[in-house]
């Protein structure tokens, strides 16, 4: 690994380089679970062999990329999953770009990258690719009604992983506990988005929202925000203090339904629809 001081290098445990390569191979086959397992093994090896602050930072970032890619893939967001996978694979390739020289006495690997004639061109190309990806993701930052709370908690859990880096004796048990919580969060989010998609598809097929619960109505809004981030951001940015039902009304209008049809979908009177419009106009920016 490059240590950031005058191009000098630090040793990387040989077991770590093997884990990196196996994680990269798993990502090439879209085996996110296998890639996560290999990165967790790499983090454990680095935590034992290196200083924790040097060992865990990059590995935790790659693991976070893989976890996010898996979440996108689970809800069939292929383009976003592929983009996050590309970021993780790019970082893994940068760690495994050179053939390692194994020290038979210590089992460590010295990556002689800084002196290689292709180092700086490869670094420049990686930076260009990273900048291009960052510019792409800036365009979709406003869709986060569906995933923002989950993403924030996942980030906090990964920060907690960083905070326990000095507790190496109980490290594996703590990582397992945190990963279990992450898995529960992802499962809950996927279930909520799946329920919202069912309601969305039913409405497009002429269905209604009769007797819908507050939780299911929120799932419908979250799915629309997830699947139509730019439209949702544009609609909600025009108003302040939108209620759950007013947000649903806005989405139904954006889907092309007339007030009469919306009245039938929501099972409300025409006077209620007029009241929605009146209150929303008062809250218009």
């Amino acid at each position: 690994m490059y240590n950031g001081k005058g191009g000098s290098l630090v040793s990387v445990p040989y077991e770590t380089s093997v884990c990196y390569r196996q994680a990269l191979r798993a990502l090439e086959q879209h085996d996110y679970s296998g890639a996560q397992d290999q990165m967790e093994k790499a983090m454990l090896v680095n935590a034992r062999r290196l200083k924790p602050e040097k060992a865990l930072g990059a590995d935790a970032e790659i693991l976070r990329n893989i976890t996010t890619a898996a979440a996108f893939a689970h809800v069939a967001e292929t383009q976003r999953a592929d983009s996050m996978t590309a970021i993780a694979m790019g970082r893994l390739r940068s760690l495994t770009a050179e053939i390692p020289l194994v020290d038979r006495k210590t089992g460590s690997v010295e990556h002689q990258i800084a002196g290689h004639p292709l180092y700086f061109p490869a670094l420049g190309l990686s930076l260009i690719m990273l900048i291009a990806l960052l510019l792409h993701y800036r365009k979709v930052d406003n869709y986060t009604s569906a995933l923002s709370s989950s993403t924030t908690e996942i980030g906090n859990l990964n920060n907690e992983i960083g905070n326990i880096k000095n507790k190496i004796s109980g490290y594996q048990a703590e990582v397992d506990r945190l990963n279990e919580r992450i898995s529960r969060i992802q499962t809950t989010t996927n279930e909520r988005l799946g329920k919202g998609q069912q309601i969305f598809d039913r409405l497009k097929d002429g269905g209604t929202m009769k007797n819908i619960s507050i939780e299911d109505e929120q799932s419908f809004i979250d799915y629309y925000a997830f699947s139509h981030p730019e439209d949702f951001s544009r609609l909600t940015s025009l108003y302040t203090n939108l209620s759950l039902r007013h947000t649903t009304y806005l989405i139904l209008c954006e889907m092309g339904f007339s007030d009469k049809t919306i009245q039938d979908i929501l099972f409300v009177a025409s006077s209620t629809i007029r009241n929605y419009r009146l209150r929303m106009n008062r809250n218009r920016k």
Side-chain angles (χ1 to χ4, degrees), residues 76-92:
E77 286 293 323
T78 305
Q79 183 177 359
R80 294 189 176 98
D82 288 347
S83 296
M84 293 306 299
T85 301
I87 294 176
M89 292 176 67
R91 288 173 175 161
L92 284 170

Side-chain angles (χ1 to χ4, degrees), residues 35-49:
Q36 288 172 322
D37 290 341
Q38 292 302 322
M39 288 309 302
E40 290 172 0
K41 292 178 182 177
M43 293 173 71
L44 288 172
V45 172
N46 284 339
R48 293 195 303 268
R49 301 284 296 275

Side-chain angles (χ1 to χ4, degrees), residues 68-273:
T68 305
F72 280 131
H74 194 277
V75 294
E77 286 293 323
T78 305
Q79 183 177 359
R80 294 189 176 98
D82 288 347
S83 296
M84 293 306 299
T85 301
I87 294 176
M89 292 176 67
R91 288 173 175 161
L92 284 170
R93 287 193 179 104
S94 70
L95 294 176
T96 59
E98 295 296 315
I99 299 175
L101 301 176
V102 179
D103 185 332
R104 297 181 181 275
K105 294 182 179 179
T106 65
S108 66
V109 179
E110 298 295 334
H111 288 272
Q112 305 298 329
I113 298 176
H116 196 283
L118 296 180
Y119 173 73
F120 289 105
L123 178 61
L125 180 59
S126 298
L127 289 175
I128 291 173
M129 293 175 62
L130 180 58
I131 291 172
L133 286 171
L134 289 175
L135 290 176
H136 169 72
Y137 277 99
R138 286 185 63 184
K139 297 179 181 179
V140 294
D141 282 342
N142 293 325
Y143 88 96
T144 53
S145 173
L147 290 176
S148 60
S149 60
S150 297
T151 301
T152 299
E153 187 167 357
I154 289 173
N156 291 336
L157 293 175
N158 282 313
N159 288 336
E160 188 175 348
I161 290 176
N163 292 332
I164 64 167
K165 56 193 175 186
N166 292 322
K167 302 175 183 177
I168 297 175
S169 59
Y171 185 74
Q172 181 60 60
E174 190 68 11
V175 168
D176 290 343
R177 182 183 67 82
L178 295 175
N179 282 331
E180 183 180 352
R181 289 179 58 189
I182 290 174
S183 178
R184 288 199 301 267
I185 293 168
Q186 291 173 337
T187 299
T188 300
T189 300
N190 294 338
E191 289 175 352
R192 188 172 72 249
L193 292 179
K195 181 64 176 179
Q197 183 178 11
Q198 291 177 3
I199 297 171
F200 181 86
D201 292 340
R202 187 171 70 237
L203 293 178
K204 289 200 303 183
D205 292 337
T208 69
M209 300 175 74
K210 183 178 181 181
N211 299 327
I212 191 171
S213 67
I214 294 176
E215 291 78 10
D216 286 350
E217 188 167 351
Q218 183 64 60
S219 296
F220 167 70
I221 294 172
D222 288 345
Y223 173 75
Y224 188 84
F226 178 78
S227 58
H228 300 76
E230 295 180 358
D231 292 339
F232 185 80
S233 177
R234 173 176 52 79
L235 289 173
T236 55
S237 65
L238 299 175
Y239 301 90
T240 59
N241 301 323
L242 279 173
S243 67
L244 184 73
R245 180 47 58 93
H246 291 165
T247 304
T248 298
Y249 175 75
L250 275 178
I251 293 174
L252 293 175
C253 289
E254 186 69 14
M255 291 174 66
F257 295 120
S258 65
D259 279 357
K260 179 63 174 65
T261 304
I262 295 174
Q263 177 183 336
D264 295 337
I265 290 174
L266 299 178
F267 277 81
V268 295
S270 58
S271 58
T272 302
I273 298 295

Side-chain angles (χ1 to χ4, degrees), residues 15-67:
E15 300 95 320
T16 302
S17 67
V18 173
C19 291
Y20 288 159
R21 285 173 171 78
Q22 291 178 349
L24 182 59
R25 188 175 301 111
L27 286 178
E28 291 172 347
Q29 300 173 358
H30 298 287
D31 179 9
Y32 298 109
S33 177
Q36 288 172 322
D37 290 341
Q38 292 302 322
M39 288 309 302
E40 290 172 0
K41 292 178 182 177
M43 293 173 71
L44 288 172
V45 172
N46 284 339
R48 293 195 303 268
R49 301 284 296 275
L50 304 175
K51 292 182 179 179
E53 58 269 25
K54 291 184 178 180
L56 299 179
D59 292 349
E61 180 65 23
I62 294 173
L63 180 57
R64 183 161 48 249
N65 294 147
I66 295 171
T67 300

